[in-house]
Structure formats: C-alpha cells, structure tokens
Amino acid sequence: MRLPNYQEARKRDIREYKTVKFELDSKLKEKYKGKKFYLKTYGCQMNEHDSENIKALLTSIGFQEIDNYEKADLVLLNTCSIRENAHNKAFGMLGRLKHLKEQRKDLIVGICGCMAQEESVVEEILKDYKFVNFVFGTHNLEQLPNILDKAIEENNQQIEVLSREEDLVEGLPVIRANSYKAYVNIIYGCNKFCTYCIVPYTRGRERSRKKEDILKEVEELVRDGYKEVTLLGQNVNAYGKDLYEDYNLANLLEDIAKMNIPRIRFTTSHPWDFTDNMIEVIAKYKNIMPSVHLPVQSGSSKVLKLMGRRYTKESYLELFDKIKNTIPNVSISTDIIVGFPGEEKEDFEETLSLVEYCKYDNAFTFIFSKREGTPACKLKDEVSIEEKEERLQRLNEIVNKYFLENNKKLEGTTLSVLVEGISNKKNMYYGYSETNKLVNFTSIKELELGSIVNVKITSSKTWSLDGELDG
Ligand code: 5AD
Ligand code: SF4
C-alpha cells in the first residue's frame, strides 16, 4: 500500500526524470477477455485524454467497454479535484456503487485521477469505502493493469498512489474518443502554485515531453487522417523550459504548423509566460487556430496578488491587447473566480470593468472553492455565500451579454467549420469554427463527420451560431 502524502506533493524541487517506454506485462494480455468495464471521467481535457489511455490499457488486458455501469464487471472513476462539486459528484457515484456492490459482490470498483492524489480522500476511502477494490493516482496510470490484477488475484484492497511525479512514460496505448480530432499531451504538471489551486499537488511539477515524441505522435495523427490536434498541458506556455535552452512552445507550434494538419489548438496558457514569439507564430500560420484561452481569474491586482498569479490587471491587459492586435480575428476566452478570500466589493467591480473591456468570446466563471492543503484554504473568508452567488450572477449577465454581442457580429459572414455531429433534426449538422464557436447549420448535401466546410452564418445566440452550408 502506498498512500499520498501532501508534504511530499507540495515540494517545489525539480527532480530529474527519465523518459521510459511502456510495456504491458505479457502475462496480463487478454487475461480478462469477456469482462466488461464502465469508465466515468470527471474534469478537464487532461483527464479525458488520460481516460483514452485507460480505455486502451483495459482493452489490452481483454476488457470491453460498456456504457451501463450496472452491467459492468469493473467500474472505474477517473476523478477531478478542482472544485468541491467535482468531488461531490464522484462521492455521489461511489454511494450508488456501494449499493450495487451489496447486490453484486463480484463487482470491482476502482478510483483514479486527481482525487486519488488527495490525502483526505484516500483516508476517507480507507475508512468509509472499504468496498473500493483499488486506487491509483495520476503518476502511475501505466500500472493500472498490474494494480487491477493484484486486487483481483489477492482479493484485497490495493492502494497505490505516488505522492510525486516519477519518470515520464511514452508509448501508452490509446483509444481516442474521436477519429478526426485528437488530444496530444505536451507537458505534464504545474510549477505555478496559484494559492487556490490543487493541481500542483495532484499533477506534480512540470515535465515536458521530448519534442521528437510529440512530433512523431502528430505525424501519426496526420497519417491517420486527423484534422485537429489540441496540445495539452496545465500550462502549455512553460513547454520545453525543463528540457531545452532554445526550444519552447513557439518553436513547437511552428514545427507542428509545418505539418499537414488543418487545425492546431493548445490549452491552457498562463498569462505570465505568454511570449511575443508565441503570438507571432500563432498569427503567422493559418492552421494554428486564432483562439486563445487566457485565464484572468480576477480583475483586481490586489486579489491577483493574493492568488499568486504573478501578473497585475495592467500587465494582463497589455498582453490581451497585444494578442488582439497581432492575431487577426482572434477569439479570447477566460476563467474567472469570484468570492476569493479578501475580494471586496471594489475588487469585484474591477473584475466587471475588466470584463467590459475584454468582451470575452467565452468565459468559465466559478465561485471560489476551498481546496484542502492549498494556501488560500487558510485565508480568512468574510464574504457570505449569498453575496458570492450574487456576484457570480452579475458577472454571468455581463459575460453572456458579450458572448451574444460578439456572435451577432458574425451574422452574414462565412466561417470554416469542422463537422462534428448530426443533430436530431433533419439535414442539421454541428461543428466548431476556427475561433471555437459552436455552429449549428443545415446542409441538404450529406456531409462526412470530420470534414471542414464553409458555413454562412444566418443568426446568432449567446452560446452558438446558426447557419447554412455555403457552396
Ligand atoms: N475554486 C474555484 N475555481 C477554481 N479553479 C481552479 N481552482 C479553483 C478553486 N479552488 C478554476 C480556475 C481555473 C479553472 C480550471 O478552474 O479558474 O482556471
Ligand atoms: Fe480537475 Fe485539475 Fe485534475 Fe484536471 S488537472 S482533472 S481540472 S483537478
């Protein structure tokens, strides 16, 4: 049994790491043929992509995926810790599984992902969820086949969580959710330690994948006909800093842009290390999508300091303007937290005025959620929940107003759309524009999913655009 330890996870020292190649234990290959698994994924794209590896690992030992957890032999929850509600959702599911397991003693239940890295969660599992068969964390995902096998063979609870990151594993199998757009990890972990954020504890320090490994993966995706890659990292802007003197995200974007892939996206960017070179490269290449997610978190420099964000309102706006003025037709989205400890009425008003200035194309807004073990958890929090909810509502009204206003400007224009689905209505399709806008459109011609088409925008809503196939 290996339990997570926050004392260890909090350490800021940078460790040496090797890149190692994954190999499946040959004894386990197809061992569980005929067994079925149900995987539930919570949280961000990083978790979604981890789940693509998890599915492939389970498939390699013979499991088959099903979408009804009541009929599964194995139920695995890939969890998220970012806010309390993600937490509560996973524990709610665990409650349902407890009942199921009372009727079906042979059901195997596993927990992985970010919550598995939390000391208090694992303590709770040990105390109140003894029926959980196995737990592993974000740093040893590749050990899933072995940990699961051990839990089954030895018929006891296996808890195997590493508190710190270890070697970087290449060559994990993957079953992608989609055959035309793909996630590609470029950097794992985060060194920023924003005071509200649990990610540095659950995902460890920054480790970049070698550029050759990334380029090879993208090359294979191009060969397989993929149309879009999204480069993933908690902070992609830090790419390469731990590996190279003279190769960074701008270089990587440029190298990928020269490949024959129609659409490149990347997320998430911390405003602190967004370089001019990056902006220039995004502006230069047509296949790097003009869409930047630039979390601001607050419009008050005082609150930003309390959050440990390393920029001020003024320096954020300077960067914002530079991106807007350099990348043609760029769309910018953001994340905002309201009700951070110490956020006074005037601070919140500053957030509103920043939003009025930036007129974001999209924004994810949250009420601050205390995460155990983070510095902000200890800050005095004097604002009532009612006040926080009111602030969130006021903020949402303003961000929504600008989503609609921006969308309205697109009426009458023609946008390039990657077709992603067919809606229930006849001749209706949907997809995303280059600037990441959801477009619902009609087409009499039958369209292939994954094709890129021109759509004439006829009307707009707050969260989507309507249109018709152009030509
Ligand atoms: N409370 C509320 N929101 C948070 N986020 C991260 N941690 C917290 C927290 N403790 C938000 C930030 C981040 C996004 C992914 O989630 O806005 O950018
Ligand atoms: Fe949630 Fe953060 Fe973990 Fe993603 S990295 S699953 S957002 S806690």
Side-chain angles (χ1 to χ4, degrees):
M1 180 160 23
R2 281 181 289 182
L3 302 178
N5 176 322
Y6 257 12
Q7 205 76 353
E8 273 294 304
R10 196 175 284 129
K11 289 188 177 158
R12 297 191 181 207
D13 61 305
I14 307 297
R15 293 171 148 196
E16 292 269 313
Y17 64 89
K18 292 194 299 294
T19 297
V20 295
K21 183 119 179 73
F22 171 76
E23 261 178 70
L24 179 69
D25 186 341
S26 57
K27 289 195 298 293
L28 298 181
K29 199 162 178 250
E30 301 287 327
K31 177 169 174 182
Y32 293 98
K33 211 169 168 65
K35 297 279 183 201
K36 299 190 170 54
F37 77 91
Y38 172 87
L39 174 64
K40 174 87 187 151
T41 308
Y42 303 87
C44 64
Q45 287 139 320
M46 193 75 72
N47 253 24
E48 278 177 36
H49 187 39
D50 283 349
S51 281
E52 295 183 327
N53 293 129
I54 290 172
K55 284 180 189 180
L57 285 170
L58 290 173
T59 306
S60 68
I61 59 169
F63 276 91
Q64 197 190 345
E65 187 179 15
I66 55 167
D67 58 9
N68 180 350
Y69 74 90
E70 291 177 349
K71 296 213 169 111
D73 301 292
L74 161 68
V75 177
L76 181 56
L77 309 184
N78 188 9
T79 60
C80 168
S81 315
I82 198 93
R83 280 172 296 275
E84 202 179 342
N85 62 350
H87 229 251
N88 295 345
K89 274 190 213 157
F91 273 113
M93 183 68 184
L94 266 185
R96 288 197 288 282
L97 292 171
K98 192 172 188 171
H99 286 300
L100 189 61
K101 188 125 180 181
E102 278 159 16
Q103 299 151 25
R104 291 206 17 225
K105 297 266 181 274
D106 58 338
L107 174 69
I108 302 288
V109 176
I111 296 180
C112 64
C114 291
M115 276 169 66
Q117 294 296 141
E118 289 185 69
E119 245 174 47
S120 59
V121 168
V122 175
E123 275 165 21
E124 204 170 332
I125 290 170
L126 280 169
K127 196 159 112 320
D128 297 329
Y129 297 85
K130 293 199 173 72
F131 71 92
V132 170
N133 299 80
F134 67 102
V135 180
F136 64 95
T138 58
H139 301 309
N140 57 346
L141 186 145
E142 77 287 352
Q143 288 168 13
L144 161 62
N146 304 73
I147 296 169
L148 167 63
D149 183 55
K150 209 161 168 218
I152 295 174
E153 289 292 344
E154 295 182 7
N155 195 22
N156 58 15
Q157 192 179 50
Q158 295 290 321
I159 301 202
E160 291 295 328
V161 181
L162 311 179
S163 301
R164 291 287 307 261
E165 63 281 1
E166 298 210 338
D167 290 337
L168 195 152
V169 182
E170 284 293 343
L172 277 179
V174 60
I175 296 181
R176 297 189 188 271
N178 200 296
S179 58
Y180 42 85
K181 56 179 202 175
Y183 292 129
V184 174
N185 280 327
I186 62 168
I187 180 168
Y188 302 96
C190 180
N191 294 353
K192 289 281 186 290
F193 289 97
C194 301
T195 58
Y196 52 80
C197 190
I198 200 164
V199 170
Y201 313 115
T202 61
R203 293 272 175 179
R205 300 294 74 73
E206 287 165 3
R207 279 145 299 140
S208 300
R209 285 179 70 196
K210 286 186 185 150
K211 62 180 177 187
E212 302 79 32
D213 291 324
I214 299 170
L215 295 175
K216 192 167 134 245
E217 185 174 345
V218 178
E219 226 167 67
E220 282 165 11
L221 290 167
V222 173
R223 213 175 38 224
D224 292 344
Y226 277 81
K227 299 291 169 51
E228 181 176 298
V229 292
T230 301
L231 309 180
L232 287 184
Q234 303 301 342
N235 174 23
V236 289
N237 297 27
Y239 176 75
K241 285 186 182 175
D242 56 324
L243 277 188
Y244 308 111
E245 294 267 315
D246 54 359
Y247 194 90
N248 54 36
L249 183 64
N251 305 112
L252 182 69
L253 278 171
E254 187 151 31
D255 281 344
I256 296 176
K258 287 179 187 155
M259 294 174 157
N260 196 10
I261 186 110
R263 289 180 164 209
I264 301 159
R265 299 186 189 279
F266 55 94
T267 195
T268 292
S269 290
H270 189 295
W272 192 62
D273 38 17
F274 213 115
T275 63
D276 288 356
N277 268 352
M278 278 176 58
I279 302 174
E280 279 155 28
V281 169
I282 300 165
K284 181 169 161 196
Y285 289 92
K286 271 191 77 66
N287 56 349
I288 303 179
M289 295 300 98
S291 165
V292 177
H293 188 59
L294 197 69
V296 67
Q297 314 299 2
S298 169
S300 148
S301 294
K302 181 194 100 189
V303 174
L304 288 170
K305 190 146 192 227
L306 289 171
M307 290 176 163
R309 289 291 285 176
R310 311 174 191 214
Y311 55 83
T312 59
K313 173 187 182 175
E314 290 71 29
S315 61
Y316 178 90
L317 289 176
E318 201 182 307
L319 173 66
F320 180 93
D321 285 340
K322 216 186 294 173
I323 293 174
K324 273 272 176 203
N325 296 334
T326 320
I327 306 170
N329 296 320
V330 69
S331 73
I332 302 187
S333 55
T334 201
D335 294 337
I336 301 171
I337 298 176
V338 302
F340 187 79
E343 181 189 75
E344 292 169 284
K345 279 203 163 56
E346 306 79 72
D347 298 306
F348 177 63
E349 294 300 330
E350 281 201 77
T351 298
L352 296 185
S353 82
L354 177 130
V355 168
E356 294 277 359
Y357 179 85
C358 294
K359 304 181 172 56
Y360 291 107
D361 286 276
N362 204 355
F364 302 91
T365 56
F366 313 102
I367 291 179
F368 168 69
S369 171
K370 275 189 176 178
R371 307 319 294 133
E372 213 180 293
T374 61
C377 194
K378 296 198 204 89
L379 294 176
K380 211 150 130 213
D381 189 2
E382 280 165 347
V383 180
S384 69
I385 183 66
E386 290 76 22
E387 169 75 24
K388 288 178 186 173
E389 274 164 6
E390 204 184 306
R391 286 184 193 174
L392 184 69
Q393 203 183 337
R394 274 185 69 201
L395 173 64
N396 283 344
E397 273 163 27
I398 298 178
V399 292
N400 292 349
K401 181 179 85 182
Y402 288 113
F403 299 165
L404 184 61
E405 199 177 290
N406 288 329
N407 282 349
K408 271 226 156 337
K409 286 190 197 140
L410 296 170
E411 287 178 14
T413 65
T414 296
L415 300 181
S416 159
V417 172
L418 173 65
V419 186
E420 295 200 13
I422 304 170
S423 92
N424 294 334
K425 284 195 224 131
K426 202 165 174 259
N427 301 334
M428 280 294 285
Y429 293 83
Y430 66 86
Y432 285 84
S433 72
E434 296 196 331
T435 53
N436 219 5
K437 307 248 179 204
L438 174 62
V439 183
N440 296 301
F441 64 100
T442 53
S443 166
I444 305 164
K445 213 161 64 182
E446 202 170 309
L447 299 176
E448 221 178 288
L449 301 190
S451 57
I452 295 176
V453 297
N454 285 331
V455 176
K456 177 118 196 243
I457 304 303
T458 50
S459 65
S460 56
K461 300 193 180 90
T462 304
W463 286 286
S464 63
L465 298 164
D466 290 331
E468 53 203 33
L469 186 77
D470 192 4

